[in-house]
Amino acid sequence: MPQTLSSISMFTPCGFSPHLHSAKEDDQGGLIFQDGNLASASLDALIQHLIPTTDYYPEKAYIFTFLLSSRLFIEPHELLSRVCHKCIEQQRLDDPVLDKARIRKFGPKLLQLLTEWTETFPYDFQEERMIGHLKDMIDRIAPCDEAYWKRMNQLLQALNQKLATLSHGQEGIVKISAAVSDKLVAFKSKPPSIQREILTVCSDPYTLAQQLTHVELERLSHIGPEEFVQAFVHKDSLDSTKSCFNEQKKTSNLEAYVKWFNRLCYLVATEICMPAKKKQRAQVIEFFIDVARECFNIGNFNSLMAIISGMNMSPVSRLKKTWSKVKTAKFFILEIVIPFFSLLIKDIYFLNEGCANRLPNGHVNFEKFLELAKQVGEFITWKQVECPFEQDHNIIHYLHTAPIFTEDGLYLASYESESPENQIEKERWKSLRSTILGKT
């Protein structure tokens, strides 16, 4: 089950190949190859390299890489407009009498390019202008072959279905987030319980790991690959063009996933700090260690990392008397695991910090974006995994809506469980009791 895949075979039959040779002569100028690899180019040359002709079609790896990175230099609707304009110009689609034989060679290639764009970057087509460009092109080539109408209708139908699914998922996340914000708990007095505890909802570590995997895959499925570019790649001093994502950072799904990760960390810490008795707290810790091990076994490294992070939070780690009752050997083994999502974000961050988007001559640093595409492609392959486990709505509802402590609430609960050990902790405890409980 969801194991992180080591290749992005979705792009080419043999995996991602950076050897993006031109299938036609480099007659535009501006394409620079090093050791057979496309290293840099002017933006105009890259756009031209994207456009199919009667005897040329760009490699899938190139299409993905350019569509992913191009939004740093040109907005998607403007890019599609320029692609369509060049197609009209090159194939003479404005002529009163069309060369039907030539269009029949060109049409399927154009439809294939548009299909790949809509399938991989569907969020680009939430704009009416994008749909307008699609329809304009089909209106121009359809008179040459009625089958193009059918292909375009299938494309639009698949796109609408995908956008509807993504929109529904986003609305669900918004509703869950609102419900959670209304239930944030600053501190819970221990005797009268105001909420159920995780062990009363699910006492089987394997089952909880399965349900966490459902949540992970559902959340990750909504993140568009372009969000990594928009979130982590910033305009550099050599980039004289307008960086369009600075105006409107479309990273809501990525941000929602980070919020989920943080919520799971706090939920774990809350469940551990909540019980009044040391034995119960130790039992909860051991339960989450077992859940983390099951997450590891099924390849859910993201939930695994969130659980470990929650157990490593200071309000939890300071509970020495509680931890003395826990069999910790298996916990320390878990800590060596490097989670997939955290590592991906780290790699993208350092790639961005270490490389400029443009070279001193103004060329797009395509070598950088090839590396970025490989990393984001790993993520796309991973998120397409279908969860094989049966969904338990009761457990998932609890994971999303159970009240959690704030950071101050966690510290107060921790001090109430095991008294402060030094002057700094004593002063913080006193302050928290005053601000949260109104006690002196």
Side-chain angles (χ1 to χ4, degrees):
M1 181 355 262
Q3 300 291 337
T4 304
L5 303 182
S6 58
S7 68
I8 42 178
S9 54
M10 60 177 289
F11 300 122
T12 60
C14 302
F16 189 99
S17 170
H19 300 277
L20 301 175
H21 298 283
S22 178
K24 52 182 179 179
E25 291 299 316
D26 181 13
D27 53 5
Q28 305 89 37
L31 287 177
I32 306 298
F33 290 84
Q34 290 182 357
D35 300 324
N37 299 336
L38 179 53
S40 68
S42 66
L43 182 60
D44 283 342
L46 290 172
I47 293 174
Q48 185 62 54
H49 200 53
L50 179 70
I51 296 170
T53 65
T54 55
D55 55 3
Y56 164 76
Y57 188 77
E59 288 192 14
K60 287 189 176 185
Y62 176 77
I63 295 171
F64 175 72
T65 302
F66 183 59
L67 291 181
L68 178 70
S69 57
S70 63
R71 61 200 67 242
L72 297 177
F73 313 102
I74 181 173
E75 292 189 53
H77 74 86
E78 188 181 344
L79 173 61
L80 183 55
S81 175
R82 287 179 63 174
V83 167
C84 292
H85 179 73
K86 284 180 180 289
C87 287
I88 292 168
E89 203 174 57
Q90 291 170 14
Q91 302 302 323
R92 300 195 292 277
L93 298 179
D94 272 342
D95 286 1
V97 180
L98 296 176
D99 183 341
K100 292 188 177 183
R102 186 177 71 247
I103 301 304
R104 286 195 184 100
K105 291 181 181 179
F106 165 74
K109 293 186 175 70
L110 174 64
L111 285 167
Q112 179 61 27
L113 176 66
L114 297 176
T115 299
E116 290 188 41
W117 194 336
T118 58
E119 286 178 349
T120 312
F121 300 95
Y123 288 121
D124 286 352
F125 293 85
Q126 288 177 316
E127 281 197 58
E128 282 298 320
R129 285 177 288 189
M130 296 289 285
I131 301 298
H133 292 316
L134 288 181
K135 292 180 176 177
D136 177 57
M137 288 307 294
I138 195 61
D139 284 343
R140 292 175 183 275
I141 65 173
C144 296
D145 194 327
E146 286 294 320
Y148 295 159
W149 285 114
K150 186 177 180 181
R151 284 280 306 277
M152 180 56 76
N153 285 333
Q154 289 172 338
L155 183 154
L156 290 174
Q157 195 173 9
L159 175 63
N160 288 334
Q161 190 173 358
K162 193 161 192 176
L163 286 175
T165 302
L166 292 169
S167 176
H168 179 72
Q170 286 178 314
E171 289 171 7
I173 288 172
V174 170
K175 287 178 183 176
I176 288 169
S177 299
V180 169
S181 64
D182 292 340
K183 289 187 175 183
L184 284 178
V185 176
F187 178 71
K188 173 180 166 294
S189 298
K190 290 190 174 117
S193 178
I194 62 168
Q195 72 175 74
R196 294 181 296 170
E197 297 175 353
I198 187 67
L199 287 172
T200 66
V201 178
C202 178
S203 60
D204 177 38
Y206 182 55
T207 300
L208 185 57
Q210 289 180 332
Q211 300 312 305
L212 285 170
T213 304
H214 264 294
V215 176
E216 287 287 340
L217 289 173
E218 196 272 334
R219 291 288 175 124
L220 292 173
S221 70
H222 294 112
I223 301 175
E226 69 279 2
E227 294 191 42
F228 290 100
V229 172
Q230 290 157 182
F232 296 105
V233 183
H234 307 290
K235 185 178 178 182
D236 59 64
S237 57
L238 296 171
D239 186 356
S240 60
T241 61
K242 197 174 182 181
S243 190
C244 45
F245 68 82
N246 281 338
E247 298 175 8
Q248 186 179 7
K249 283 181 75 174
K250 298 176 181 177
T251 56
S252 58
N253 297 296
L254 188 58
E255 291 165 12
Y257 176 76
V258 171
K259 285 181 181 177
W260 154 250
F261 183 91
N262 291 335
R263 169 172 171 77
L264 183 53
C265 294
Y266 273 82
L267 179 62
V268 168
T270 297
E271 294 286 348
I272 293 170
C273 290
M274 199 160 37
K277 295 180 179 179
K278 178 171 53 180
K279 182 180 178 182
Q280 292 173 316
R281 293 194 297 274
Q283 182 185 8
V284 176
I285 290 175
E286 290 192 348
F287 173 72
F288 276 118
I289 291 174
D290 288 337
V291 174
R293 287 170 64 86
E294 294 297 348
C295 285
F296 175 79
N297 290 338
I298 60 178
N300 181 359
F301 302 126
N302 299 327
S303 293
L304 164 65
M305 185 56 182
I307 293 169
I308 292 174
S309 299
M311 289 193 284
N312 278 328
M313 290 178 75
S314 295
V316 176
S317 62
R318 66 168 296 278
L319 297 172
K320 295 176 183 176
K321 293 176 182 176
T322 301
W323 280 97
S324 69
K325 299 290 183 184
V326 176
K327 297 172 185 175
T328 55
K330 54 187 177 181
F331 174 66
F332 294 128
I333 292 172
L334 284 175
E335 290 189 292
I336 66 171
V337 175
I338 300 174
F340 167 68
F341 198 77
S342 300
L343 185 63
L344 171 67
I345 290 178
K346 180 181 174 185
D347 286 348
I348 291 175
Y349 173 79
F350 284 114
L351 172 64
N352 176 53
E353 291 298 304
C355 304
N357 293 341
R358 285 184 185 266
L359 302 178
N361 65 357
H363 274 197
V364 173
N365 184 2
F366 202 75
E367 196 172 7
K368 167 182 178 175
F369 294 118
L370 273 172
E371 184 59 36
L372 176 67
K374 282 194 283 187
Q375 293 174 357
V376 175
E378 292 275 0
F379 166 77
I380 292 180
T381 304
W382 197 93
K383 78 169 190 170
Q384 288 182 333
V385 172
E386 289 188 14
C387 192
F389 310 125
E390 190 174 340
Q391 205 167 8
D392 187 315
H393 296 286
N394 187 39
I395 297 174
I396 289 179
H397 179 76
Y398 181 87
L399 291 170
H400 281 134
T401 62
I404 55 175
F405 289 146
T406 61
E407 185 175 1
D408 283 346
L410 280 174
Y411 271 108
L412 180 53
S414 180
Y415 295 144
E416 294 283 318
S417 296
E418 295 185 18
S419 300
E421 295 184 343
N422 54 52
Q423 193 58 38
I424 294 175
E425 286 192 346
K426 287 178 182 177
E427 289 176 3
R428 185 167 191 179
W429 186 26
K430 183 178 179 181
S431 172
L432 292 172
R433 284 176 66 88
S434 174
T435 55
I436 295 176
L437 300 180
K439 296 179 180 179
T440 57

